[in-house]
Amino acid sequence: MHPVLVELLARPVGWLTIGGTLIMIGLAAGVPLFIRHREKVEAAEAERNKR
């Protein structure tokens, strides 16, 4: 097997690298989506309270 794949898949440090990368990607995608969702909720609530 290729040495890079051995490092990533056969050693614990590789699994930590993969996990950390997935967490960072998840945060980078999740935070903007969460903010967008909260803005919609707050805008709807402000519209409701304005009346």
Side-chain angles (χ1 to χ4, degrees), residues 8-48:
L8 285 176
L9 301 175
R11 305 239 168 35
V13 174
W15 285 107
L16 290 172
T17 302
I18 292 170
T21 302
L22 291 175
I23 289 171
M24 287 188 294
I25 290 171
L27 285 173
V31 169
L33 290 174
F34 176 75
I35 291 172
R36 230 184 269 163
H37 171 71
R38 289 298 304 165
E39 285 177 344
K40 286 181 185 177
V41 170
E42 289 177 4
E45 186 177 317
E47 183 67 30
R48 202 171 352 149

